[in-house]
Amino acid sequence: MKTLYLDCSMGAAGDMLTAALLELLPEREKALGELNGLGIPGVSFVSEPVSKCGIGGTHMSVRVHGAEESEELHGGGHAHEHHHDGAHEHHHDGAHEHRHGEVHEHHHEGGMHEHHHEGGMHEHHHHSGMREIGHIVEGLPVSERIRKDILAVFSLIAEAESHVHGVPVTEIHFHEVGTMDAVADIAAVCILMDRLAPDQVVVSPVHVGSGQVKCAHGILPVPAPATAFILKDVPIYGGEILGELCTPTGAALLKYFASRFGAMPVMRTAAIGYGMGKKDFPAANCVRALFGETEQTGDIVAELSCNVDDMTAEEAGYAMEALFAAGALEVYTTPAGMKKSRPGLILHVMCRQDKKDEMAALIFKHTTTIGVRETISRRYTLQRSVESVQTPYGIVRKKISSGYGVTREKYEYEDLARIAAERGMSVREVQEWLQSGEKARRKGMEPG
């Protein structure tokens, strides 16, 4: 199984993830050229070799109209609530940098805001919401799957900002320059992930940093509010390093692509990449990516069970269907002798651990039980795939399971049953006919 492991012991940002993934590819310059060929308005990707604490890696900078953008001192975003019809001026006493991910809430008819800074800088900023970002992403020369990935990551950020500022997602706006930078970072990671095509992505617990960060509108705790919201249900820790180590964009990319968070699995590593951040800390400021093969060693599942003796067969069948529809891995019953010599059944439900509360609620809803037992088990499975076989009677799907030195193949029952009904044959006859046809085709392909 192709596995990508991301070591985030110094957090993560979009540029760091891009650089780490780029280092995993054998033709890095070609991949960098493809990123620069995306045509994101005013954006260019520049990579350079750097060293942190004696470790060599790559720093990726995104330049918008020639100036490098960064999430540094992001502060979790901030929202301005505007109620006006025309231009609105902001005056700041010090330098004020707009970073990507910063958001503004708008209630106005005008489109341009004038920002004045005491340091003499005078800039005009337009703002983009999710709709405008969608238009930008639609224009990128990428597959529909990559477009879907990019927009899904942006949605995680917008949802977090919406929650932090207490405004609807439709009113969340990003600064135009920051938008281009964010689109570039997110698109780059999504494209490189698609190129690597790992079967699973395992991410370490995320070091978010500690202390506080100063942004243009005040001092905020680390992790910044938006980052903290995105990383809900993710293992994170603070540590002793002062500063913001994980940005909202980095958090959203990790949350979206991670198959799971945890320790590095046993794997045979084929490539290692180091994506370097800009700042220097006592520890090497990088995301480390390891790409290689892992054997399937099983996964942890929860098995929920309960005893019932006062349900009809129809009710039990409906409960099983509801549990399967909600994502149960397996649902089955076994007969059991109950109290007062009543015949009954034991309902067994296997599910992933993050689904067990939902499954327990469904068991209580659809059965008459008043108690559910839980057992945590390790499950060993073969890798499964589906192959479509062209036959004179249409496409027949074949399920292939492999691993641990064995391979098993089985035709999809529904396809066998369809042909059997159409041809007046038994299911077994159809299966034997298909097997003989495959053997003949294989023999015809063998060299003389």
Side-chain angles (χ1 to χ4, degrees), residues 204-223:
S204 73
V206 182
H207 189 178
V208 296
S210 62
Q212 298 172 321
V213 288
K214 183 179 181 181
C215 72
H217 292 270
I219 296 174
L220 296 176
V222 172

Side-chain angles (χ1 to χ4, degrees), residues 139-156:
L140 298 179
V142 296
S143 68
E144 194 58 39
R145 181 170 65 180
I146 294 175
R147 285 195 189 94
K148 173 179 171 291
D149 291 341
I150 296 170
L151 291 174
V153 174
F154 257 114
S155 293
L156 288 175

Side-chain angles (χ1 to χ4, degrees), residues 41 58 150 158 327 331 348 362 429:
T58 296
I150 296 170
V331 184
H348 305 265
L362 287 172
E429 287 173 330

Side-chain angles (χ1 to χ4, degrees), residues 122-175:
H122 183 145
E123 297 184 54
H124 293 281
H125 293 290
H126 296 280
H127 300 82
S128 298
M130 283 300 295
R131 179 180 296 180
E132 289 79 10
I133 288 169
H135 289 318
I136 296 170
V137 174
E138 282 299 319
L140 298 179
V142 296
S143 68
E144 194 58 39
R145 181 170 65 180
I146 294 175
R147 285 195 189 94
K148 173 179 171 291
D149 291 341
I150 296 170
L151 291 174
V153 174
F154 257 114
S155 293
L156 288 175
I157 299 171
E159 180 188 358
E161 301 289 6
S162 170
H163 175 83
V164 168
H165 303 301
V167 299
V169 171
T170 54
E171 295 182 19
I172 294 297
H173 288 69
F174 301 83
H175 275 289

Side-chain angles (χ1 to χ4, degrees), residues 282-394:
N285 184 19
C286 67
V287 169
R288 181 165 65 167
L290 297 97
F291 192 64
E293 291 285 337
T294 60
E295 293 289 342
Q296 273 195 284
T297 57
D299 56 346
I300 304 300
V301 296
E303 182 172 351
L304 307 179
S305 61
C306 64
N307 295 23
V308 292
D309 63 1
D310 54 352
M311 286 177 62
T312 66
E314 291 90 345
E315 290 171 325
Y318 186 84
M320 295 175 69
E321 291 174 0
L323 290 160
F324 271 125
L329 298 171
E330 186 62 89
V331 184
Y332 62 97
T333 62
T334 54
M338 309 292 287
K339 291 186 292 186
K340 301 181 181 179
S341 301
R342 294 175 185 167
L345 60 85
I346 303 175
L347 176 67
H348 305 265
V349 181
M350 290 201 316
C351 65
R352 302 200 184 280
Q353 292 197 78
D354 61 355
K355 302 277 287 184
K356 63 185 180 182
D357 289 340
E358 179 185 352
M359 293 296 156
L362 287 172
I363 292 171
F364 283 120
K365 179 178 180 179
H366 293 295
T367 75
T368 57
T369 191
I370 59 173
V372 175
R373 300 180 296 277
E374 174 190 338
T375 302
I376 302 299
S377 305
R378 179 176 292 278
R379 183 180 67 144
Y380 294 85
T381 60
L382 299 180
Q383 296 185 51
R384 285 162 281 190
S385 61
V386 177
E387 177 183 298
S388 295
V389 179
Q390 182 67 52
T391 76
Y393 304 111

Side-chain angles (χ1 to χ4, degrees), residues 240-254:
E240 298 181 355
I241 293 178
L242 294 175
E244 181 184 35
L245 299 183
C246 187
T247 66
T249 297
L253 287 164
L254 295 176

